[in-house]
Amino acid sequence: MVAVRDDTRGRVPFALLGVLLLVSSLTLAPTFVSEPAPSETAVEQALNQATAETQVAMRDGVSTAGRQAAANPVVTPADTPPGQVLNDSTAFRDSLRIRAYLRIADRLEAVSTRSGDVTVTARLPAVTNASDLRAAKHRVSVERAGPNETALRATVENIVLTVRRNGVVVSTRQVSPTVVVPAQALMLHDQVSTYQTRLNNGLDRPGLSRRMTARLYPMAWTRGYAQYGGAGIENVVANRHVSLATNGALLGVQRSTFGRSDPAGRRALTEATAMTGIEDLVRGSQGTAYSSAVLDQAQYKPVSETPPRLKSTASPSPEDSMTVGVNGTADTAFRSVTEPSTLNETLEHAYTVEVALEADEHRLGGGPPGKPPSPGPEWTLVADRMPTSVETVGNASGSVATPDGWHAVETFSRTVERQYTRTAVWQNGADRRRTTASSTARYRVTVAVVGRHHGRSPAPNRTIRTAHDASASPLNGSNLADVKPKAMDTLVDHAGGRDETAERVVDDSLGRTEATVTADQPPELHDWAYRDLMGLRTAVRNTTVTVERGRVGTFETNPPRVLRERVAQRRARLAAVPDTYDSTAQKARVAARLTYLNAVSAELEEQASARDGNRERIDAQLTERTEGSLRDLRKGLTARETAVPRSRPVPVSPAGPVRTRIDTQTPYLTLAELDESRYRALDGREHPLVARNTNVFTAPYGDAADAVVDGAFEGGDRVRLATAANTLAAANETLETESSSTLAAERDALQREVRAANGEMTTQLRQSIHRQTDAEAEASKVIVTEGISAWETPEARAQALTNGSAQGRVARVAGNRLNLTRIERDRLRLTLLSVDTPATRPTLHSTNGTASAVRTVARDELSSALADSGKKKAQQIAKNRLGTDRLPAGLPLAPPATPWYATVNIWWVTVEGEYARFAVSASHGPPSEPGARTTYARDGHNVTLDVDDDGTAERLGTADRVSFRADTGVAVVVPPKPRGVGDKGGNAVEESSGWPDAGT
């Protein structure tokens, strides 16, 4: 736009101004008297009149300056001498102060009062350069005033009143009057500044991002669940939805800031909502031309001015709960603890007893002999030896104290004598002599074999009431009755028997006194425990927790960890540990149960740790593909729940309500390119709004989702078999309706890879049957062939092999053909479900190529139908989707290592926008100016002002356009099905034209 030159510094007759202001200012009434008081001198009378007229001049100057500053607001100071007078942080206020000074100085030139031969004039120093301008700014202060701060208070310091008598200066007086005028310049500037701040606030503060999030979430979840349910929705969140949400959010921020929104913007939002609904219906919109064609065919007419609300649907919201169960984790843990060697070891520990010898030695009499006598006084003792021998001489009776936690298995007592023969060697010169002394000590020795049952078993140490009763076992086993002979054999018999054991106690040569012995286990124990664990597995499998869907999608909650805590809460009831064991078999069963529960807990913790790793990788994916993060995504989820006021109260001034009115260009910030022929505020061709919308896990998501789920997966050019199978199904469905040589070729290539992957899987199944049963290789092949025969096509067979249906049927066939027991069938089924191999991954190239061809055929057919048959035919084709709705999308939580309990997808949206012109006006309301309004407008034009009264306007700064940037993320979570949720149009990133430069 052209520069605005200030040309309102002309003179206004003060007689007229005085009359008008008399009506509106009761505070000035005492100064306007027709005759001076008798005591007043001519000087005092003239000064009083000059002071009153100075206030009138100030009121007029401040009011005029306020309107002019609002109409031409300086937001960014210019790099010019006048512009450098303005501070960057207070540019608008400083420009208002300068305008007020210049207007007041101009008005004061007309102030001249007379009383007799005395005249009084009012003046402010003239401005001739930047230094004068800076001094002038410092003389003026402005602030909002009034009960609701709708008025403007201004003070000008040191206005000089000069008194002359007969033209000769006799005195001067400095006054610093303050006036309050009903001007809303500062109020409007503060409101617009607040508005722009809120537009640029992040998700952690009220503003555009939060309101945009609140609008996108229900839109994305409704469309996401509709797509999940089979509706023909190609893009869950497209840029047209982003545009709609952004403009609705802009109006919401306007209401909360100004008390109302732009009426033209509300009407435009209604029209855009209707157009977006039609685009969604007809599946259009990969480009502006196509969108226009859709609308032309639909013969769209704007409807009401009230944007329609979304119809209530059965789809859940982010705060709704979802149920997550242990499910397949129960099988995974079961396989690990029921491996024959593992389960046998667990059961064996329950039948294993720690045994030890406890002995009591009591001397009945006797003892070592004294020193043998010397041959004479001349003899010297040179050696003294005392060998001993022990001998059991009879039975005895006695007892041994049993340590805490142990019990006596067998006790026996013996009388043992210890023979001492002491020999002394004496020397006298070359002669040596020996003398001896003998004695006997008698001991009562009591030996107890003690045992305790806990050992290494995970089962708690409890009393086994029938531990050594061979007839008390529920499985007709020996219970622990054979522990006694085994313990005696290990600790006593190996020491030489009871007599020798007693003798060893006396001569301290007993040796080994601790051991473990394992009682014989009933033959039925293994199967009995296995069947019991099968029942426990069912109970554990059915353990569920409820978690908030949105928090799952933003990785704020960890379902496996919550499940682990839930299993821990149920642990006592699931383990069913009695206060005392009825039998050793019961203890073994408890040990197996606790071992299984420990395995479930460990498996869930491993899954929880894997989810933590996935969270880190998703964060990395978000950072790599967008400017967002999981932390920001969580902020968005929280922000949509934060209550924000719909509008603010209308402020009331002493003169009445101050109502604002908003006028924007463009009223609806469209993603399309506009030009100045439509909006004069535009400068050439511009993009009022630009958007970048990234769907993180798009179809068939081989790159992003695999990077998250597989972590360090080598060979990133592969996708999971389920992904390829669903893509192949989409291609076949499309080819049933439409012919395409390109799609057929892509389909054939992918079909070969899926067949090969199926072949590898079936080979693994045959080998597993052969290894685990007595079936020969050929018989195993027949079993697998019959088991998978229900799924004839490659895609159906691949889907069955990946979701476990095929393995379950193969196990049933094997059980019937091989007459397997219930336990054998169960073990085989679990083994088959664990089969996996890297060779079952088709290539990403073939999968993506087929998916792209499916989308191309569907889109071409839709365009053709729209051109040939109009909207009705296009809607029909869109509803059928030509197989594109089968294309998988989203991030499965959390295969391949853990059960699949949900699919999540994330959209990260960034918008940048700029109003070509943003204007807000407010009513003045004073009686002297009924209907007057102050308009604050920012359109990017240069603001000029003749500051030195030389007839040339100098540039003060720029009335910057109102612009913004907002980011938000949306996470949608759906149940685990192959279709998933996500954009299936083939573009992970949708950028509007003009991105990233709005307003250019």
Side-chain angles (χ1 to χ4, degrees):
M1 294 184 64
V2 297
V4 176
R5 183 184 185 279
D6 187 82
D7 57 358
T8 57
R9 296 182 65 187
R11 301 181 185 276
V12 178
F14 268 85
L16 176 59
L17 288 174
V19 172
L20 291 175
L21 290 170
L22 270 174
V23 179
S24 62
S25 180
L26 297 177
T27 59
L28 292 180
T31 67
F32 293 113
V33 294
S34 57
E35 295 182 0
S39 60
E40 286 183 321
T41 66
V43 171
E44 291 171 336
Q45 181 183 8
L47 281 171
N48 288 340
Q49 291 176 353
T51 300
E53 290 192 16
T54 296
Q55 286 193 332
V56 172
M58 274 195 63
R59 287 178 176 277
D60 177 69
V62 171
S63 295
T64 301
R67 289 192 297 272
Q68 293 172 351
N72 301 280
V74 177
V75 180
T76 301
D79 188 16
T80 61
Q84 292 170 356
V85 173
L86 310 181
N87 291 332
D88 290 340
S89 59
T90 56
F92 177 78
R93 277 174 165 73
D94 287 355
S95 70
L96 175 57
R97 292 161 70 187
I98 289 173
R99 287 182 183 275
Y101 183 92
L102 296 176
R103 297 300 158 265
I104 293 169
D106 187 51
R107 302 303 186 259
L108 290 178
E109 292 180 5
V111 173
S112 179
T113 60
R114 176 181 295 276
S115 178
D117 58 354
V118 175
T119 60
V120 178
T121 58
R123 293 289 185 274
L124 281 172
V127 174
T128 60
N129 53 42
S131 179
D132 293 342
L133 189 64
R134 191 177 302 278
K137 183 188 78 169
H138 289 153
R139 283 174 177 264
V140 181
S141 63
V142 293
E143 61 182 348
R144 293 173 64 176
N148 290 290
E149 296 189 328
T150 58
L152 179 62
R153 178 187 290 115
T155 301
V156 179
E157 297 178 357
N158 301 330
I159 296 177
V160 178
L161 301 181
T162 303
V163 181
R164 293 179 176 85
R165 188 186 298 275
N166 296 323
V168 179
V169 175
V170 296
S171 67
T172 60
R173 178 184 294 179
Q174 290 185 343
V175 295
S176 300
T178 297
V179 297
V180 177
V181 297
Q184 291 82 34
L186 278 180
M187 181 194 79
L188 294 176
H189 172 74
D190 288 347
Q191 285 182 345
V192 174
S193 297
T194 299
Y195 179 63
Q196 180 154 11
T197 297
R198 289 178 177 177
L199 294 188
N200 288 282
N201 276 346
L203 288 164
D204 51 355
R205 289 176 293 172
L208 177 61
S209 290
R210 281 189 172 183
R211 289 181 178 268
M212 189 168 69
T213 305
R215 286 175 172 265
L216 276 176
Y217 252 100
M219 195 183 303
W221 278 67
T222 299
R223 290 176 58 78
Y225 267 82
Q227 182 194 66
Y228 169 78
I233 293 178
E234 186 172 85
N235 285 355
V236 174
V237 178
N239 269 351
R240 62 183 182 274
H241 306 118
V242 173
S243 173
L244 199 67
T246 302
N247 279 276
L250 287 169
L251 294 176
V253 179
Q254 288 176 17
R255 285 192 300 271
S256 66
T257 306
F258 303 103
R260 61 187 60 205
S261 56
D262 183 5
R266 294 196 299 272
R267 289 191 297 270
L269 179 64
T270 302
E271 297 176 6
T273 302
M275 284 190 289
T276 302
I278 292 174
E279 289 187 65
D280 286 344
L281 256 165
V282 187
R283 297 306 318 278
S285 83
Q286 288 303 316
T288 305
Y290 185 62
S291 298
S292 300
V294 170
L295 297 178
D296 291 343
Q297 289 288 342
Q299 297 182 341
Y300 162 72
K301 301 293 183 185
V303 281
S304 68
E305 295 185 3
T306 304
R309 293 179 176 271
L310 286 171
K311 294 181 180 179
S312 61
T313 66
S315 62
S317 65
E319 62 268 17
D320 287 345
S321 62
M322 61 182 290
T323 300
V324 180
V326 174
N327 301 331
T329 301
D331 292 341
T332 304
F334 193 88
R335 281 197 300 270
S336 66
V337 301
T338 57
E339 286 290 332
S341 60
T342 303
L343 182 56
N344 287 338
E345 183 179 0
T346 301
L347 300 176
E348 182 180 286
H349 286 165
Y351 277 79
T352 299
V353 178
E354 292 181 78
V355 293
L357 292 181
E358 291 289 329
D360 177 74
E361 177 185 351
H362 178 69
R363 192 171 67 177
L364 300 175
K371 183 170 67 174
S374 170
E378 299 86 3
W379 293 87
T380 301
L381 182 66
V382 294
D384 189 356
R385 296 186 296 272
M386 188 170 60
T388 65
S389 63
V390 295
E391 182 182 6
T392 299
V393 298
N395 295 331
S397 62
S399 63
V400 178
T402 304
D404 291 342
W406 296 71
H407 63 275
V409 175
E410 176 71 303
T411 303
F412 58 91
S413 296
R414 295 289 186 270
T415 300
V416 179
E417 287 184 349
R418 186 170 190 173
Q419 302 292 334
Y420 296 92
T421 301
R422 185 173 182 179
T423 301
V425 179
W426 307 89
Q427 185 167 348
N428 182 4
D431 296 334
R432 286 194 173 199
R433 289 186 182 179
R434 289 179 173 79
T435 60
T436 61
S438 300
S439 66
T440 300
R442 177 167 288 197
Y443 297 87
R444 183 182 68 240
V445 178
T446 302
V447 178
V449 177
V450 296
R452 61 178 178 180
H453 298 155
H454 58 77
R456 290 181 293 171
S457 175
N461 191 27
R462 301 278 194 273
T463 300
I464 303 177
R465 292 186 288 109
T466 62
H468 303 288
D469 185 350
S471 63
S473 173
L475 301 177
N476 300 319
S478 63
N479 222 340
L480 294 179
D482 58 344
V483 165
K484 177 179 175 179
K486 290 183 178 183
M488 290 295 292
D489 178 68
T490 301
L491 296 178
V492 177
D493 294 348
H494 282 193
R498 300 188 181 205
D499 291 350
E500 190 168 338
T501 299
E503 294 167 2
R504 286 175 177 273
V505 171
V506 173
D507 68 6
D508 295 326
S509 64
L510 187 58
R512 184 182 183 190
T513 59
E514 295 181 354
T516 58
V517 295
T518 302
D520 293 337
Q521 301 164 48
E524 303 92 344
L525 180 63
H526 183 281
D527 288 354
W528 182 69
Y530 191 102
R531 286 192 297 270
D532 180 73
L533 287 180
M534 289 175 64
L536 179 60
R537 181 182 67 196
T538 300
V540 171
R541 170 186 280 276
N542 293 334
T543 301
T544 61
V545 294
T546 56
V547 290
E548 195 173 296
R549 292 177 184 271
R551 289 165 62 88
V552 170
T554 60
F555 280 71
E556 195 169 357
T557 188
N558 191 321
R561 191 156 286 142
V562 179
L563 275 172
R564 183 175 182 269
E565 294 169 359
R566 177 63 179 144
V567 171
Q569 293 169 0
R570 300 185 62 203
R571 182 182 176 91
R573 186 153 56 92
L574 292 169
V577 180
D579 294 334
T580 60
Y581 298 118
D582 291 339
S583 64
T584 310
Q586 187 183 37
K587 180 179 180 180
R589 184 187 69 175
V590 168
R593 282 176 165 253
L594 291 174
T595 300
Y596 174 64
L597 293 175
N598 291 342
V600 170
S601 180
E603 183 67 27
L604 288 172
E605 180 55 33
E606 184 177 344
Q607 293 174 19
S609 298
R611 179 170 168 85
D612 289 339
N614 286 349
R615 181 189 63 215
E616 294 175 3
R617 286 188 286 272
I618 286 178
D619 216 10
Q621 289 289 322
L622 273 172
T623 302
E624 177 183 340
R625 294 164 179 267
T626 71
E627 296 181 15
S629 66
L630 278 178
R631 182 172 178 268
D632 294 329
L633 200 64
R634 294 187 191 111
K635 284 182 183 179
L637 183 66
T638 304
R640 57 171 293 278
E641 300 167 355
T642 304
V644 289
R646 182 173 177 81
S647 61
R648 57 183 291 275
V650 176
V652 179
S653 72
V658 179
R659 299 188 179 277
T660 57
R661 185 172 64 204
I662 300 173
D663 180 18
T664 62
Q665 290 187 10
T666 63
Y668 185 93
L669 299 185
T670 177
L671 294 171
E673 186 179 62
L674 301 178
D675 58 46
E676 56 191 336
S677 65
R678 186 170 180 182
Y679 293 100
R680 288 180 299 171
L682 297 176
D683 184 9
R685 304 178 68 85
E686 296 184 7
H687 295 87
L689 182 70
V690 293
R692 187 178 194 267
N693 170 19
T694 302
N695 181 207
V696 179
F697 306 112
T698 189
Y701 66 84
D703 47 1
D706 281 340
V708 170
V709 174
D710 296 340
F713 169 64
E714 295 182 1
D717 62 339
R718 299 275 175 172
V719 298
R720 285 173 294 279
L721 180 56
T723 302
N726 289 318
T727 305
L728 180 58
N732 287 331
E733 186 173 318
T734 302
L735 288 171
E736 289 177 3
T737 306
E738 300 296 324
S739 61
S740 168
S741 58
T742 301
L743 175 56
E746 293 285 356
R747 186 275 313 271
D748 291 346
L750 180 59
Q751 185 169 266
R752 285 191 294 272
E753 293 190 16
V754 171
R755 285 184 187 277
N758 290 344
E760 175 64 22
M761 281 290 289
T762 55
T763 297
Q764 295 292 325
L765 295 180
R766 291 197 301 268
Q767 293 175 354
S768 295
I769 294 174
H770 179 57
R771 285 193 301 266
Q772 191 162 317
T773 71
D774 58 3
E776 298 296 334
E778 187 60 32
S780 299
K781 181 178 180 181
V782 171
I783 290 171
V784 173
T785 301
E786 179 181 344
I788 65 175
S789 61
W791 298 279
E792 297 178 355
T793 64
E795 64 272 21
R797 182 165 295 179
Q799 290 166 345
L801 287 168
T802 54
N803 64 26
S805 301
Q807 288 86 337
R809 193 168 187 276
V810 169
R812 288 193 296 273
V813 172
N816 294 334
R817 281 180 169 268
L818 302 176
N819 295 321
L820 300 179
T821 66
R822 178 188 174 196
I823 293 174
E824 290 170 338
R825 291 172 187 242
D826 186 72
R827 183 178 290 122
L828 178 60
R829 180 184 65 86
L830 296 178
T831 300
L832 296 179
L833 285 172
S834 66
V835 169
D836 191 16
T837 172
T840 61
R841 292 177 178 273
T843 63
L844 175 63
H845 174 76
S846 291
T847 308
N848 275 346
T850 303
S852 177
V854 168
R855 285 190 292 264
T856 300
V857 171
R859 189 171 296 122
D860 290 347
E861 179 60 21
L862 183 63
S863 301
S864 175
L866 185 62
D868 297 340
S869 307
K871 184 181 69 174
K872 184 176 181 180
K873 177 65 174 177
Q875 288 176 347
Q876 181 180 357
I877 292 177
K879 183 178 180 180
N880 293 336
R881 285 306 298 127
L882 295 176
T884 54
D885 62 321
R886 280 181 170 268
L887 293 177
L891 173 68
L893 302 176
T898 60
W900 187 6
Y901 58 85
T903 298
V904 64
N905 216 325
I906 297 170
W907 287 262
W908 189 260
V909 173
T910 302
V911 295
E912 293 188 11
E914 184 176 274
Y915 290 99
R917 182 176 185 271
F918 189 92
V920 183
S921 60
S923 57
H924 277 297
S928 61
E929 299 180 74
R933 303 187 70 84
T934 297
T935 298
Y936 179 100
R938 286 169 52 177
D939 57 8
H941 69 267
N942 290 329
V943 178
T944 61
L945 180 66
D946 185 1
V947 298
D948 52 9
D949 202 22
D950 63 354
T952 301
E954 288 81 26
R955 191 159 68 91
L956 280 183
T958 307
D960 297 346
R961 288 178 172 181
V962 173
S963 61
F964 59 86
R965 175 191 171 97
D967 297 90
T968 191
V970 176
V972 178
V973 180
V974 299
K977 280 189 178 180
R979 181 181 286 118
V981 63
D983 292 348
K984 301 183 180 183
N987 294 324
V989 180
E990 184 182 0
E991 292 180 353
S992 66
S993 61
W995 171 266
D997 301 315
T1000 59

